Amino acid sequence: MQQRPPAEPLLAIEAVSCRFGGLLALDAVSLQVQEGEIFGLIGPNGAGKTTLFNVISGLTPPSGGRVLWRGTPMSRPSPERVNRLGIARTFQNLRLFDSLPVIENVLVGLHHAARQPLAGALLASPAFRRRQAVLRSQAIELLALVDLAELADQTAASLSYGDRRRLEIARALATAPALLLLDEPAAGMNPVEKDDLCALIDRIRAHFALTVLIIEHHVPLMMRLCDRLAVLNFGERIALGTPEQVRHDPAVIEAYLGGQP
Amino acid sequence: MIDPTLLVQMVLGALLGLSVYLPLSGGQLSLATPGFYAIGGYMAALLSTGWPALGGAAPLYPLPSLLLELGLAGALAAAVALAIGGPVLKLRGIYLAIATISLVEILRVLNLNLPFTGGAVGIFAIPQPFSDPAGYLGAALLLLLLVGLLCQRLEGMRFGRAQAAIRDDELAASCMGIDTARVKLTAFVISAVIAALTGVLSAHFLNTWNARQGSFDASITTLAFVVFGGSRSWLGPIAGGLALTAVPELLRPIGDLRLIVYGLVIVVGPVFFPQGLITPELLKGLARWWPWRQREAAP
Amino acid sequence: MDTLLQILFNGLSVGAVYALFALGYTLVFSVLGVINFAQGAVFTLGAYFTYLLIGGAVGANGLLAGLALPFALPFWLALPLAGLAAALVSLLVEAVAFRPLRRRRAEPLLYLITSLGAGVILVNLIQLLMGAEGYSLPADSLGALPVALNLGGAQVRTVQLVLLGVSALVLIGLTLWLEGSRGGKALQAVSEDATTARLLGIDSDGMILLSFAVSGFLAGISGGLVGLSISITGPYFGIGFGLKALGVLVLGGLGSVPGAVLAGLIIGLAEALVPSELSGYKDAVAFAFLFAVLLLRPQGLLGRPQVTKV
Ligand SMILES: Nc1ncnc2c1ncn2[C@@H]1O[C@H](COP(=O)(O)OP(=O)(O)OP(=O)(O)O)[C@@H](O)[C@H]1O
Ligand SMILES: [Mg+2]
């Protein structure tokens, strides 16, 4: 039951290509992410999923095509500018600030809104201290959301794998994004943790009015979680649609089963 | 009782340690400190010996003139750091270290050859603002206090968090909306200013200034201050600067062996104190002690 | 006035020695990923060893004042022996300044400090034993060879030809060894990917020792050659050269052998082309070059750019 699409997608990828030497990691990929949806990106290893995230987040300049944010092309995107536009991400190979306490990892992200008079900060004025206390309680709230409030003072490096994945999500949320990019957030988790993660993603989407773009190999989970899915294979977008449409797409079956009848 | 002259040197060493520490706590191995130190020293030497209006002929060099020198040296160092920082700080790790060492060497050769820097002999008879080492000690300690406080405050604010994040993972930091280029440049500029101010004091204190004051060995020695003292807290480089400046001087009685022993200290230190003398655990331990001590002091 | 040909020869011969010296850094860097700041002191030692082996006597100031070896070797023999002695010292540096940290998996920053400390110890040991004075190898070090040769109408100092010839020989030998022998190939394997190399059964500890030994040998030979050509100015003689060789290394691209050779020759030539009125600025040439290149091409002339995979 297709509704009338909103006038403008939140994020539009238009014919984005990305070449590394002889390898075409992305081949004129186009897709549009609507505000409020959970959009899934699946595909075999090396399909170019992470590369697409890197292009969106300003880490890898595309060799062709463009990315539009709320209808406007991103000009000379750098990672920090992309983040300030309202796009936050997590990393497939966890990139936390390992030597910092858990709460500091989140506080780093909260600072987007924390510009303060320099003099007040240098002199530790009462206003500055109040503001710091507010930031800390916001950080604790975010940590509580991902069940890490108890571990706030441990160093990030000391956390278990699943905890680290959720801390990365909390850290990304701290930058108050409108669009959250999750790169294999369930990798390395057991089935119970995966279910919890699904619930968490649903919860944060509702809580923060988020749009989510998620990469994940676990197809059943994606079918359940996502409103729409795109399938990449060797840098090409071979399918796009609702989970039901994608499930029955012959190109997808071909890509996943390697051409077996 | 330690010789006050040595104390002044130690405090100046601590200041240089802080200058190396600031970029390093943001993960940037910049070894440009001796270059900016030299700039500050030449600024002081040239102004105070070459500009009579500053009062170089008076028995005691006027303090306002010293303050003017500090201001000008700081401004020049900041300008140079701003100009070169943008491109240089794009380099990472050892490349940044080598580029900044190159800079120090280029400056050294220039200072040795430029027509107005006095060649190898340098500039001497730099006027004295204080009549005894105690005066210098006061001035140096005041500067150290201000710089130390600045570093302590910076660590507690947005800037310090950004620095720590960049040190751990620059790419992730930029994805968290941190303008990494700007943070790195800020640290580099503050570091340059600290070094230049230290150079000004040092030039007056030493009475002469020449190209040897900013050389490659100094780059690594000042880095040793930080590594030896501990690169995780602003107290580390202070401890390292004080200690490593004192060691060769305290070893003077053993004569020719002293630099060999100094070398041994540098080789062995990092093996036994890989985190430096001042570690985060030590500070945590001290912090636990602190309120208890206060309670004890109050009857 | 020097002719252009003479300048070229000067530049090439000095440049070849820079390249040789720089390769010593490369070997250790490519295996361990750290810079050995004691390399300059090992270079100095190479020069002193050469001086002693050809029969030179210790001056009046050190603990060894007046001493001389009971024999005098010809330069051709003294140089490789000095190289071997330097290789031994380099192994010692590894044992003192690198191995304890490696055992503790310390962060790379610490190696800069400990290797500098080892350098400080070596330099001051030399000073303690042999005094702070300069030494020069006697003019007849090269035996019956004439001081200068006439090449195509230009007078070229024989020393320059020796520098060029020996460096070329060692460079060729090193390349053949790296590309052709088991040890050389193993070293390359470790430098490309230490973990995989270990899985293939290559003893990476042995390779580290090997890299230190060879790099010490190269530094010692370079020191002996420079000592022959311009005399030894004192215990600190190698520090400036060490720094310049480091510059050459980075200019060529860390880890790249052809890069180091190319950069060495470029810097040697560039320095030789500095007009004599500006000779004071000669020492800055290498660094100015390096600085400019780093800003334009951070990976150096022939280095591969670093990629961080996300
Ligand atoms: N910086 C880079 N330089 C060269 N090649 C790259 C780079 N980044 C990615 N690639 C290549 O591009 C292709 C796509 O990689 P990408 O990481 O986007 O795949 P993916 O779909 O995320 O795979 P996976 O499911 O394994 O994470 C791969 O072949 C990869 O090796
Ligand atoms: Mg991926």
Side-chain angles (χ1 to χ4, degrees), chain A residues 51-250:
Chain A
T51 305
L52 185 61
F53 269 24
N54 290 347
V55 170
I56 297 171
S57 52
L59 289 170
T60 307
S63 22
R66 54 182 198 163
V67 179
L68 286 84
W69 177 249
R70 298 189 196 277
T72 351
M74 292 192 198
S75 61
R76 291 192 306 117
S78 69
E80 61 264 24
R81 263 188 246 142
V82 170
N83 180 271
R84 302 233 173 113
L85 285 177
I87 303 178
R89 70 171 289 177
T90 66
F91 298 89
Q92 180 173 356
N93 309 304
L94 289 162
R95 304 188 72 134
L96 288 168
F97 305 123
D98 273 331
S99 75
L100 301 189
V102 167
I103 187 167
E104 290 284 328
N105 271 271
V106 177
L107 280 167
V108 167
L110 280 173
H111 269 296
H112 67 100
R115 266 212 183 287
Q116 286 188 288
L118 183 65
L122 283 177
L123 298 173
S125 67
F128 172 81
R129 287 190 218 186
R130 272 197 303 278
R131 178 83 185 118
Q132 290 294 314
V134 170
L135 286 178
R136 288 191 85 81
S137 62
Q138 283 175 359
I140 292 285
E141 262 173 51
L142 279 169
L143 286 174
L145 199 65
V146 297
D147 283 336
L148 288 174
E150 266 90 83
L151 303 177
D153 292 324
Q154 296 199 10
T155 56
S158 70
L159 295 191
S160 73
Y161 195 77
D163 286 350
R164 288 160 63 77
R165 287 242 170 251
R166 276 178 289 122
L167 176 55
E168 249 203 353
I169 295 176
R171 183 181 70 170
L173 288 175
T175 65
L179 173 66
L180 182 61
L181 311 179
L182 298 173
D183 196 344
E184 301 197 15
M189 286 186 172
N190 63 35
V192 179
E193 285 177 316
K194 279 187 179 157
D195 279 343
D196 290 349
L197 184 80
C198 269
L200 173 67
I201 293 173
D202 262 335
R203 217 170 342 130
I204 55 180
R205 173 173 61 160
H207 191 286
F208 296 98
L210 272 182
T211 307
V212 178
L213 179 52
I214 176 171
I215 298 175
E216 184 49 59
H217 278 295
H218 191 64
V219 177
L221 181 149
M222 291 292 265
M223 295 287 169
R224 205 167 32 155
L225 186 66
C226 298
D227 300 312
R228 286 193 306 150
L229 283 164
V231 186
L232 286 184
N233 192 25
F234 291 117
E236 276 183 79
R237 197 205 74 198
I238 57 171
L240 176 73
T242 62
E244 202 52 36
Q245 289 165 338
V246 166
R247 195 199 305 272
H248 299 298
D249 192 308

